Amino acid sequence: MNASAAQPVIEVNELVAHYGSRKILDRINMQVESGEIMIIMGGSGSGKSTLLRHLLGLNRPTSGHIRVLGVDITRAPAHTVHALRKRMGVAFQGGALFSSLTVGENIKLPLREHARLDEATMNIMTRLKLEVVNLAGFENLMPAQLSGGMIKRAAVARAIIMDPKLLFFDEPSAGLDPVVSAELDELILRLRDAMGMTIVVVTHELDSAFKIADRITVLDHGRILMTGTVDEVRGCDNTRVQDLLNRRPRDEEIDADEYMQRLTEG
Amino acid sequence: MADAHTHPQPTFLEQLGRATVDAVEEFGYYFLLFVESIYWLIAGPFRHQPVRPPSIAAQMMTIGVAAIPIVFILSFTIGIMLAIQGIHTLKTFGAEQQVVTGIALSVTREFGALITAIVVAGRSGSALAARIGTMQVSQEIDALRVMSINPVRYLSSPVLAAMLVMLPSLTYLADLSGLLGGAVFTNLELGLSYNAYIDRTLDALVVDDVMQGLNKSLVFGVIITVIGISNGFQVTGGAEGVGRATTRSVVLSISYIVVADMMFTYFLNR
């Protein structure tokens, strides 16, 4: 790959996306540099989950380009995307562990499918990753027997089993108590420092965002309001950003004509 | 944006058009899923993404081996039912003894395959839709895709392979137990010995009769697989969506099975 240190790990160019006829993302431009923790923050319906799905190549955009690790995933052929995905890991919101497999088998699955290793080696690598996420000794349990925090940590172990360069987190602290969520933040920082990964986190949790972020991208109504360091976001005088930071309900002005049209159309 | 010229109430023609397009689209989806599942079974090893034999074996157990008791009992019952009806009808002509031929032909050519397919559609078609639908809802399918594991190869191909082996096997079993049911009833009702029953059955049957049932069961296996899995993949809207997909897949696969059965029987007997 030609991804030198200077080249950003992720580069999004003029990304536009629709669900049906509704525009979800409007001309998104962003870059994630190598080795940084980028937080994509926004309220519900801001388009942050959709943006993540596009970064993962799960959805096709209406227009625009996304380059991940030097590959344009909106245009690349299937086998290139296939190879690319072995170099990235994703920890989904609900963990997305396969409920019919044990925790150990879940974590081992990418190795089993993509690497030619004997069973003993795979077992050692699985236990290594379980140690990293503090779940040693749980490999023979089923996902249903784990607590919410443990499921998320097991999902992280599965995401890093192939030693990816790039790691995505979808709402890591959703549904967790403050202590467990703080532990997960520590884990994210540790992964970056120990393994030099580039990490993209989608979240709406302010505390955790400010704690782990190198840079924050604030999304609102499918547009990027601002991108900056923690201090820059805190000091930003945009009212929508401040609404998000101070948990103020938004008071949007209603356009009378548009309002009437919404009521009467169809 | 919504087209300003669309009628608020769609006309009959518009509804018919939409329904037709949807049906064609869905049929295309089924067909592509079938082609892709076969593709991975054949080309998987060359692309270093083989379909794992253990997962095929696991599917064979749940689809085939676990269905043996129910298939046996139902086919046995159908055999008895055919004997009762046959004897009743043939009594009018005083030709009760001919019932053996009737049972032999209708079990092997028709009922063995049909009963097996309906049982498997009810057991496994619904389970497939529910399992894959749940995986869709809990983002497990997305997780497979971002791990570079093709969901069709990982989830659909093993099921199709298992189905193509197990449905004919189960149908063969159903043929035998249906004939056995007929034998037991004719023995009790007409006092026909088992040896005589076997002799007459073998006289009546040719290989082609049995093959007709087995060939149809291959088609039924494909129908159950693609409908169950497609409906699972297309689930949206949480637990309720999974329930809808499950019901839909059972109703659809049984309907398609019956229609396909009729068409095949027509063409195979010309």
Side-chain angles (χ1 to χ4, degrees):
Chain A
M1 280 301 134
N2 53 0
S4 63
Q7 206 180 0
V9 174
I10 300 178
E11 208 176 348
V12 181
N13 246 324
E14 297 288 312
L15 178 71
V16 179
H18 291 81
Y19 270 142
S21 61
R22 208 153 53 88
K23 195 184 259 185
I24 307 294
L25 295 174
D26 190 7
R27 301 184 59 202
I28 300 285
N29 287 290
M30 66 181 285
Q31 293 188 345
V32 180
E33 307 296 336
S34 178
E36 77 171 341
I37 298 181
M38 166 66 94
I39 306 274
I40 299 172
M41 204 170 73
S44 309
S46 58
K48 58 185 193 302
S49 303
T50 309
L51 177 56
L52 179 67
R53 290 185 67 84
H54 279 91
L55 294 180
L56 298 176
L58 290 173
N59 289 8
R60 290 240 163 218
T62 315
S63 65
H65 296 268
I66 305 167
R67 294 179 75 81
V68 178
L69 296 167
V71 177
D72 186 345
I73 55 171
T74 56
R75 300 283 183 284
H79 62 92
T80 316
V81 175
H82 177 80
L84 170 72
R85 279 176 169 162
K86 292 181 197 170
R87 304 198 294 146
M88 54 196 239
V90 187
F92 282 95
Q93 183 171 356
L97 298 177
F98 303 109
S99 49
S100 56
L101 303 178
T102 63
V103 173
E105 282 299 323
N106 259 292
I107 296 169
K108 223 182 281 174
L109 187 65
L111 286 180
R112 207 184 275 291
E113 293 292 333
H114 298 313
R116 268 144 216 281
L117 299 170
D118 57 281
E119 199 66 31
T121 316
M122 289 198 286
N123 283 334
I124 292 171
M125 291 180 73
T126 306
R127 289 198 201 108
L128 263 173
K129 301 301 180 191
L130 279 170
E131 292 283 351
V132 172
V133 299
N134 287 329
L135 273 181
F138 286 93
E139 64 256 46
N140 291 324
L141 293 184
M142 300 304 282
Q145 294 168 295
L146 300 185
S147 71
M150 287 154 87
I151 285 178
K152 295 226 171 168
R153 279 184 284 154
V156 176
R158 186 175 67 182
I160 61 173
I161 188 75
M162 301 283 283
D163 292 319
K165 292 251 87 40
L166 175 60
L167 194 55
F168 292 91
F169 284 87
D170 188 10
E171 301 277 1
S173 35
L176 299 180
D177 70 58
V179 176
V180 179
S181 142
E183 284 169 7
L184 213 58
D185 292 343
E186 289 295 331
L187 175 63
I188 294 173
L189 286 170
R190 212 163 62 228
L191 285 174
R192 195 268 307 262
D193 296 338
M195 305 192 178
M197 293 174 185
T198 308
I199 297 177
V200 176
V201 184
V202 169
T203 186
H204 64 267
E205 291 285 329
L206 297 166
D207 296 341
S208 116
F210 286 145
K211 188 170 149 197
I212 60 178
D214 290 321
R215 287 195 303 150
I216 299 178
T217 293
V218 185
L219 266 183
D220 188 46
H221 287 113
R223 290 197 193 90
I224 288 184
L225 284 182
M226 69 167 303
T227 301
T229 62
V230 173
D231 291 334
E232 283 169 7
V233 172
R234 279 217 173 98
C236 174
D237 51 9
N238 183 309
T239 47
R240 279 296 295 146
V241 175
Q242 286 305 317
D243 284 351
L244 270 170
L245 297 192
N246 301 317
R247 298 158 191 270
R248 268 201 304 263
R250 57 190 148 187
D251 42 2
E252 286 163 56
E253 285 180 29
I254 293 174
D255 181 323
D257 290 340
E258 221 176 87
Y259 180 67
M260 282 308 290
Q261 206 206 329
R262 276 209 302 275
L263 291 180
T264 52
E265 77 182 352
Chain B
M1 282 294 112
D3 189 348
H5 299 290
T6 344
H7 285 282
Q9 294 270 304
T11 62
F12 170 72
L13 207 62
E14 202 178 326
Q15 282 176 340
L16 184 74
R18 288 229 174 99
T20 311
V21 169
D22 287 348
V24 170
E25 192 181 321
E26 184 157 357
F27 212 79
Y29 192 102
Y30 293 156
F31 183 71
L32 285 179
L33 183 72
F34 171 68
V35 170
E36 210 184 327
S37 304
I38 293 283
Y39 170 80
W40 284 111
L41 281 173
I42 296 167
F46 302 107
R47 296 188 53 182
H48 299 296
Q49 298 172 63
V51 179
R52 311 269 160 197
S55 53
I56 298 179
Q59 290 300 327
M60 282 181 171
M61 285 300 289
T62 47
I63 292 169
V65 178
I68 286 176
I70 182 78
V71 166
F72 183 86
I73 293 169
L74 287 185
S75 315
F76 189 83
T77 317
I78 289 284
I80 295 177
M81 185 270 282
L82 284 174
I84 299 171
Q85 294 284 22
I87 290 171
H88 176 81
T89 316
L90 292 168
K91 209 176 255 169
T92 335
F93 313 106
E96 295 100 318
Q97 300 293 330
Q98 291 306 317
V99 74
V100 180
T101 311
I103 296 169
L105 291 178
S106 41
V107 165
T108 51
R109 291 167 75 100
E110 196 56 59
F111 285 104
L114 192 62
I115 287 297
T116 308
I118 288 174
V119 168
V120 173
R123 280 185 84 250
S124 304
S126 58
L128 280 175
R131 179 164 69 96
I132 290 175
T134 312
M135 291 182 77
Q136 184 71 269
V137 170
S138 61
Q139 289 192 301
E140 288 170 47
I141 306 281
D142 289 339
L144 279 176
R145 290 175 64 194
V146 298
M147 283 192 275
S148 256
I149 299 174
N150 185 301
V152 174
R153 170 178 70 89
Y154 189 75
L155 296 170
S156 178
S157 297
V159 176
L160 187 66
M163 206 62 100
L164 289 179
V165 174
M166 289 322 278
L167 219 58
S169 312
L170 283 173
T171 300
Y172 194 70
L173 172 83
D175 288 350
L176 294 180
S177 79
L179 293 175
L180 180 67
V184 169
F185 189 80
T186 36
N187 179 260
L188 294 176
E189 184 78 8
L190 304 178
L192 188 71
S193 80
Y194 288 110
N195 283 340
Y197 184 91
I198 293 172
D199 279 345
R200 286 207 204 157
T201 303
L202 292 179
D203 278 346
L205 286 182
V206 292
V207 174
D208 213 37
D209 295 323
V210 181
M211 286 312 291
Q212 196 176 115
L214 296 184
N215 285 337
K216 280 197 285 195
S217 76
L218 285 175
V219 177
F220 298 160
V222 172
I223 291 176
I224 297 168
T225 312
V226 294
I227 291 184
I229 290 178
S230 307
N231 280 290
F233 276 139
Q234 288 167 343
V235 162
T236 49
E240 200 189 331
V242 175
R244 235 185 351 252
T246 312
T247 315
R248 191 162 187 275
S249 78
V250 174
V251 173
L252 269 186
S253 33
I254 292 181
S255 315
Y256 276 115
I257 284 168
V258 173
V259 173
D261 190 19
M262 184 271 287
M263 295 201 303
F264 268 82
T265 311
Y266 177 75
F267 285 114
L268 288 175
N269 291 303
R270 298 213 71 183

